[in-house]
Amino acid sequence: MASLRDIVTSASINLLSAFGFLMAFAILRIQPFNDRVYFPRWYKKGTRSSPTRSGAYASKFVNLDCRTYLNFLNWMPAALRMPEPELIDHAGLDSVAYIRIYLLGLKIFVPLAVLSFMVLVPVNWIGDTLERAKDLNFSDIDKLSISNVPDGSKGFWAHIVMSYVFSFWTFYVLYSEYKVLATMRADYLASETRRPDQFTVLVRNIPPDPDESVSEHVQHFFCVNHPDHYLTHQIVYNANKLASLVSKKRDLQNWYIYYQNKFERTSKRPLTKTGFMGLWGTQVDAIDHYTSQIQKLNEEEAVERERVKKDPDAIVPAAFVSFKSRWAAAVCAQTQLCRNPTLWLTEWAPEPRDVYWDNFAIPYFELTIRRLITAVALFFLIFFFMIPIAFVQSLANIEGIQKVFPFLKPLIRIESVKSVIQGFLPGIVLKIFLAVLPQILMTMSKIEGYPSISALDRKSAAKYHMFILVNIFLGSIITGSALQQLKTFIDLPPTEIPKTIGVYIPMKANFFITYIMVDGWAGVAAEILRLVPLVLFHLKNTFLVKTEQDRYEAMEPGSIDFPVGEPRIQLYILLGLVYAPITPFLLPFIIIFLAFAYVVFRNQCKSTFMSRYGSESDKFDYFLLLLERNVVVCLCKVINVYDPNYESAAAFWPDVHKRVVIGLFISQLLLLGLLSTKKIGRNHFALLPLPVLTIWFFMYCKGRFESGFIRFPLQEAMVKDTLERATEPQFNLKAYLKDAYMHPVFKSSDVEKSDFTFEEEKSPLVATTRVATKLSPDVNSSSPVQSDA
Amino acid sequence: MASLRDIVTSASINLLSAFGFLMAFAILRIQPFNDRVYFPRWYKKGTRSSPTRSGAYASKFVNLDCRTYLNFLNWMPAALRMPEPELIDHAGLDSVAYIRIYLLGLKIFVPLAVLSFMVLVPVNWIGDTLERAKDLNFSDIDKLSISNVPDGSKGFWAHIVMSYVFSFWTFYVLYSEYKVLATMRADYLASETRRPDQFTVLVRNIPPDPDESVSEHVQHFFCVNHPDHYLTHQIVYNANKLASLVSKKRDLQNWYIYYQNKFERTSKRPLTKTGFMGLWGTQVDAIDHYTSQIQKLNEEEAVERERVKKDPDAIVPAAFVSFKSRWAAAVCAQTQLCRNPTLWLTEWAPEPRDVYWDNFAIPYFELTIRRLITAVALFFLIFFFMIPIAFVQSLANIEGIQKVFPFLKPLIRIESVKSVIQGFLPGIVLKIFLAVLPQILMTMSKIEGYPSISALDRKSAAKYHMFILVNIFLGSIITGSALQQLKTFIDLPPTEIPKTIGVYIPMKANFFITYIMVDGWAGVAAEILRLVPLVLFHLKNTFLVKTEQDRYEAMEPGSIDFPVGEPRIQLYILLGLVYAPITPFLLPFIIIFLAFAYVVFRNQCKSTFMSRYGSESDKFDYFLLLLERNVVVCLCKVINVYDPNYESAAAFWPDVHKRVVIGLFISQLLLLGLLSTKKIGRNHFALLPLPVLTIWFFMYCKGRFESGFIRFPLQEAMVKDTLERATEPQFNLKAYLKDAYMHPVFKSSDVEKSDFTFEEEKSPLVATTRVATKLSPDVNSSSPVQSDA
């Protein structure tokens, strides 16, 4: 077992590395060399709101003012100072809600830690069980844990009472956070300007009609059943082949532009080879070659485009149906249309950019089969992952390594090496395993057939949470203990097993403390700079990028972090809840992680959006924009929140709430199990009401708040409709909605236009708080920094 | 343990008694003396459709035709011959759906029994484990059970494979029944004529408004949020005090009529005493006394009536809001109105007669607290009931009785007495306990705050099912075994416990066979005649009844049987599913019960409504009507289904389905546990996919069918609206709905009128298939027997 010294070594290493990253960030940040990257707008305007840079303009490249180095951490209070509504305006509600998960953790654990150290640590300390039981391995930290209280002691009443206090405090915090989030979401939705998804409902499982096309069928059905409200609809095409043609064409166009540029620069017609990547084959004139290729593809594409639009088989039995008012859309999304509840399924349409186009054609039966298969697959995934984890972790044990690789003995005997191995290895092993997983889980969610990217993210997060729960949490406790104590277990009578596990749950605290440091502390700090993507971008920029378009694509934000980040926080919260009554010593580590992450992410959230560009685009600015965009995007990834693909208005909060409640429930059951081994008669049954109360609390909150995250109240819809009718009576809604839900491939011909002319900013119809799919400086148009210019 | 002889004795006693009841029913039924009671209409019309009575008109009082006695059971095929749609027309969908539970059971168990006896019984029989293991008690029946297969035998594969076959067959039957019921319900709702609840939505948790009364607030709110559809609303008064005054007045009026009649008969002014029940106090003239008393109450009532109507505190924050079309009502019932999802809660309004008026004022938080308290109370109820049951059952064991009452030994030694005690006692003990329970559970459901009687019934049934599951099923297996084998258990190491229980589950088959016979067979037969309520009615009629009104009330149907009957059937289905792979010998007993009950109930359902009176009301006919009504009502109670208080259109079927699935799930887990003790390596894990499939099946059916039982599809509503607008464009809906949802106490002044003038029949507005709260022959107006007259 790791001793207190191992923990201290590990903690200092981790703190140092975190500090190093922060230093690097802070120093880079105040260098004039990088100033343009981090604060470009302020520069131009000459505002001096950032005190760190007030005297730093002396030198062009290096900041020589020592004062700024001394208070290089003062971005932290600044990060905390920005009011939340403004933050929502800038970063969207999703980001703010995500940050509030950390805040939730802090609100739970700071009082818990204070109470634990005031009440439970003294109670644990005065026990002396571990010193007397010489046959068990234990460390110094365990003396502060419940293991140190002698069996049958009256001291366990302290743990029981504190468990009640902890639970009720957690209830209180969870409830008030849920309430705040529900209000935030309602306010956010109420304050939004007109958006296509407010008027639109996604209809799936449209039954085939022998006499009518899907489009006619939809139109007739809604004209009959929503006669006063139906406005228009958009059918969904199965455009996979077309999409691949379009993407191929874009690739060729890119090459064409590249050679065109080259030709303009060198005035010499470039050559290329017809084979793969232009590496072999016959040599031809590049510009001519690509011109003809593009021409050919253009023809193919036109044919395919016609086919898709005309072929009835290319039409998926789903449609986006739009209504004349938000009220009617809200009504249609919430009601059952057809007698057969698996046909004409309606649901709130996702935002156009949030639509996941591949999942519309799945009939109901196939959907449930897919979910069954995914559930079974998930089970096996979780189950078989345990074997390698257990194996590698048993190796990561010093004694285990010595046994398996006896030749390493002399190296391991060096105390510092031993500490490093003890401290880092188990955590890193887990991290490597986890890195493989999110993509698999996302694929499984896609198979399950959810129609929007936000839903896919939420479902992936749920799967990942389950994985973490079983493999990291339970797997580390049970498998680890089992491998260490397997021989002991086999020799003991079965009644002794729960007792043995009971003793080993608190002793696993060391492992989890290390894990929090490796995964949490260093992880957050390392992600501030996102060195890897930055380096990758610069490499790409130098070697691969051929055109502006390429450069733009090189700095794409890539995948989303919510499905990975959120379950990870949940693991820390679970650990905190489980160990709060057992080993309070673990709590400060969690609090440091949460506080650190909260401040950092809040700062990123703020500075990311504060430093956004406007829509000016002279050459140099545009390059700067790209560069800054790169940093911004990287920082966005740090935030783990800011997902440029959609704004779900904190739709994930019910999941967050549920998982914290699950953590609380598990912690209560584990404490109950642990105390039942402590020979305190039947006193541990005093804990039984807690899980019941927890379930009730969950049900209550679900009924009280959840529908606010799923449904759209008619009252709100009516208010917005009325307001709109009064202010813009002549507005042509049909024209506005006409192409809102068109498959992106049909819009592909004007990709460049939509990307670079910032169409959305020019259009007053679109919410200014929205962040468009790609390069979209429209966010800034409502930013206070801009508006006072 | 009961031997095969005990079972045979018990079976013959039970069969004989059942046969006796059937005989009595059949003989009474064909006596001309009772003819007027059972077939009054046919008599009058002179139709001779019933062959049993074709030659029975010779004698006035006794049937002398031997032929009719010989084929006295031919009502059975007749009962099965009536087509289902006609039965729905007569008895309502609830009754038909209830009967289909028996049919469901039969469809599951007949093939299961055939397969079991073909495959599993031979496999079990060739084993010889029990003969070799001398230390365990066992009976002859156990030789046919799984206990007789030696450990580690390949024969267990037969059980595993058959368990799959059984499960898939059960899935198939459940699925097709659910489908049939969903279609039936949809057709039934579609075929219904205009009813107030189609246009009305129940709104609860209306927030208080400082400036407006509840009524104004409701009106304004719906005028704003459903501007095109809102029609009218009806607020709900807290009229508990008024209701008690009205009931008191009715009582006094009854006495008044009694003395008035007496005075008319004897021409002598009757006297009474002013004290309790007229038994003591000063003597006064009865008619004058009651006249003044009634006068006084009338005044009090008028004051209270005014107060309730004017006092804002007497108004409950709930209302029945009616719309101009079914479409709008369906929309409002299915959508969320307010941003706060615990305010302005809307749900489909129950039928006016189905409303439970006391539960409208409960705010959301209190509601969840009430549900928590009820859940905890239910837990304790279930938990503490186990102690007396276990105690009495341990006495009911012959050896137990001998030990506790040694003086009874000589009596018990007589073999026949012993058999009777063995066979009857445990079942009867359970029956007595169960008789106490339903009222408690109904009270608990009322505390939970459901707004309709049908919902209360369904929730009570759910509670009762849980009770039966834990106390009768698990309690009988585990407690019984535990008490018998307690000493053995304590001496064994804990790993042996599951094995011991595994051996005792199949051995409990004897007990359950007895239970099925006592509770099932004899129960159904005894209920055909409902001797107890019949005798009670005649006693009341002779000694207590003072006026026509009293006589009418004496034959009130009383409480409803669904919450008791349905969970009981579920117990038999559970037993069948659990024992099908373990002790197939139990299946025939269940099949006999189900088939018997199915035929009998179907017949009652048919004949009850076939023999209904028209609305003629000459004096003698009216008396006959009352008499017949009594029999009819009693028979109605036999049916356990026909509940004159409401017609929920089989809304309980999802519960039925769920409970059968729960039974299947339990049976699979128990078989898995049992096989895990049989030393067949890890082969029992071959059963693991079954519970997973069962859960998937449940989810699939829930998604596929359940919303058909909760929501009302807009398409159907629109069809009905359109049809109605075309056929009756001038219909005054507002007038029709005006008083539909008035608290019954405000209608009390015309109770007699509505009861005896058959108001509903005269009104074309009300569905003819509906059965009114009280004496309501309007059912017959659509009966084919009537219509061909």
Side-chain angles (χ1 to χ4, degrees), chain B residues 194-238:
Chain B
R194 189 184 297 119
R195 281 167 42 163
D197 52 299
Q198 292 167 342
F199 298 91
T200 307
V201 163
L202 168 60
V203 182
R204 294 207 282 174
N205 289 15
I206 298 168
D209 191 295
D211 305 321
E212 291 180 315
S213 70
V214 171
S215 178
E216 285 165 343
H217 196 186
V218 169
Q219 186 171 4
H220 293 167
F221 186 85
F222 282 93
C223 278
V224 167
N225 291 304
H226 285 274
D228 307 329
H229 308 289
Y230 168 76
L231 184 68
T232 180
H233 71 274
Q234 182 87 43
I235 48 174
V236 178
Y237 295 102
N238 180 359

Side-chain angles (χ1 to χ4, degrees), chain B residues 35 73 105 133 217 287 331 579 639 661 663 701 741 775 785:
Chain B
D35 226 26
L73 280 177
H217 196 186
I287 293 174
V331 159
Y579 281 102
I639 299 161
V661 173
C701 285
Y741 282 95
L775 198 64
V785 177

Side-chain angles (χ1 to χ4, degrees), chain B residues 110-168:
Chain B
V110 170
L112 252 62
V114 172
L115 278 172
S116 288
F117 276 89
M118 274 167 54
V119 179
L120 294 183
V121 166
V123 172
N124 295 339
W125 185 254
I126 55 170
D128 56 351
T129 317
L130 292 176
E131 301 213 339
R132 275 187 278 143
K134 295 287 181 211
D135 55 329
L136 286 167
N137 299 317
F138 70 94
S139 75
D140 308 333
I141 291 163
D142 293 327
K143 284 189 199 152
L144 298 179
S145 87
I146 204 171
S147 320
N148 206 31
V149 182
D151 285 354
S153 160
K154 291 259 179 273
F156 286 116
W157 277 106
H159 298 89
I160 293 174
V161 171
M162 288 316 280
S163 179
Y164 271 88
V165 174
F166 292 169
S167 295
F168 280 105

